[in-house]
Amino acid sequence: MSEIWRGVRELVLLGALWGVYSLSRLLASTDLKPALSRANSVLDVERFFGLHHELSFNHFTAAHEWLAVAFSYYYAAAHYVVTAAVLILLYTRGRQVYQQGRNALVLATVMALAAYITMPTAPPRFVPGYIDVLAENADLGWWGAGHSLPGEMGRLTNELAAMPSMHAGWALWVALAVSLTTRNRLLRSLGWWHAVLTALIVIGTGNHWTLDVLAGWAVVGAAWALAVHVNPATEPATSTRRTADVAAKSVAR
């Protein structure tokens, strides 16, 4: 019964945190002019380093309906479904492993929120020449223009929360969590493919710059390192799992 209550408590806690995160993003300025100025600064940095390929990829995505629709569905669903599934996976692997991953996710999200409030940045779809792929295909799904939430819930989103990309950041968190908690090669590969595919999708749909993606990855990497430092595991999760398997086999004999 205590495990059930612990699970319920975690669900309530994470639900509350997500609600606070969504509402807090509305505290950020909605003034488009400085947000566009920051977007242009991001683009200038990308040009300097040769990373400015968003426009061609965005137009390629929009020109192929099957790709645009697939990207839109993945953008709108995987961000929530896959992250929640991996949280459940962590929960089944033990309290310490779960707390480490949960704390990393929460810390990264809080860090991103601070950036959204202090320096709202416009996504590519707000810049002339780019196409809002989700808006173009909104009649085929539940999302609206520029957000992945259904219907009127889109009002809870801040469309100037581009830097860093938490779509990309959460996807990297998934890859790290899966890699650190299982030795299954297929699951590990799927985790990393999810991170790469999400990065391509947020760029292709016109929702994030390449630097947004890199910043999202950096935020998650720093948050995970801090979470491990504060709450180091006494034994690697994969090692713990191996020990449990060996013990189970011994009992069976």
Side-chain angles (χ1 to χ4, degrees), residues 27-92:
L27 297 176
S29 171
T30 56
D31 190 348
L32 187 58
K33 186 174 181 179
L36 282 172
S37 177
R38 292 188 188 94
N40 285 321
S41 296
V42 168
L43 192 52
D44 287 341
V45 173
E46 289 189 353
R47 288 194 182 101
F48 181 80
F49 288 103
L51 301 173
H52 59 298
H53 303 296
E54 294 93 349
L55 184 61
S56 58
F57 187 43
N58 173 240
H59 282 205
F60 177 85
T61 300
H64 296 79
E65 185 178 12
W66 66 271
L67 186 62
V69 173
F71 273 18
S72 295
Y73 269 99
Y74 203 91
Y75 181 94
H79 182 55
Y80 307 106
V81 175
V82 176
T83 306
V86 172
L87 272 170
I88 294 172
L89 172 66
L90 290 183
Y91 191 84
T92 65

Side-chain angles (χ1 to χ4, degrees), residues 3-246:
E3 282 298 311
I4 294 177
W5 280 115
R6 188 167 75 89
V8 171
R9 183 186 64 190
E10 287 296 327
L11 285 174
V12 171
L13 173 63
L14 291 173
L17 285 172
W18 182 82
V20 170
Y21 167 73
S22 297
L23 292 173
S24 297
R25 295 207 309 176
L26 299 179
L27 297 176
S29 171
T30 56
D31 190 348
L32 187 58
K33 186 174 181 179
L36 282 172
S37 177
R38 292 188 188 94
N40 285 321
S41 296
V42 168
L43 192 52
D44 287 341
V45 173
E46 289 189 353
R47 288 194 182 101
F48 181 80
F49 288 103
L51 301 173
H52 59 298
H53 303 296
E54 294 93 349
L55 184 61
S56 58
F57 187 43
N58 173 240
H59 282 205
F60 177 85
T61 300
H64 296 79
E65 185 178 12
W66 66 271
L67 186 62
V69 173
F71 273 18
S72 295
Y73 269 99
Y74 203 91
Y75 181 94
H79 182 55
Y80 307 106
V81 175
V82 176
T83 306
V86 172
L87 272 170
I88 294 172
L89 172 66
L90 290 183
Y91 191 84
T92 65
R93 294 304 171 99
R95 179 173 299 188
Q96 190 171 37
V97 172
Y98 171 76
Q99 288 178 343
Q100 208 175 67
R102 179 203 61 194
N103 292 345
L105 183 64
V106 171
L107 179 58
T109 304
V110 170
M111 292 166 65
L113 178 60
Y116 299 153
I117 293 175
T118 58
M119 54 176 193
T121 304
R125 56 191 170 81
F126 277 30
V127 176
Y130 290 84
I131 300 170
D132 187 339
V133 172
L134 262 72
E136 292 282 314
N137 296 279
D139 59 323
L140 300 175
W142 59 85
W143 57 85
H147 63 82
S148 55
L149 295 175
E152 294 300 313
M153 289 183 68
R155 294 179 180 180
L156 297 177
T157 64
N158 177 358
E159 296 191 69
L160 302 180
M163 170 68 80
S165 168
M166 276 297 97
H167 258 79
W170 282 18
L172 179 64
W173 177 89
V174 164
L176 290 172
V178 171
S179 294
L180 293 172
T181 55
T182 181
R183 296 178 64 82
N184 187 298
R185 292 184 178 180
L186 176 59
L187 288 178
R188 286 183 166 191
S189 296
L190 288 175
W192 288 108
W193 274 112
H194 172 63
V196 172
L197 183 58
T198 299
L200 293 174
I201 286 173
V202 299
I203 294 171
T205 55
N207 281 286
H208 287 284
W209 305 99
T210 302
L211 280 185
D212 295 345
V213 170
L214 297 179
W217 286 349
V219 165
V220 166
W224 200 293
L226 184 57
V228 171
H229 177 74
V230 172
N231 183 30
T234 55
E235 187 177 11
T238 52
S239 176
T240 302
R241 197 67 178 177
R242 272 201 315 277
T243 301
D245 292 342
V246 169

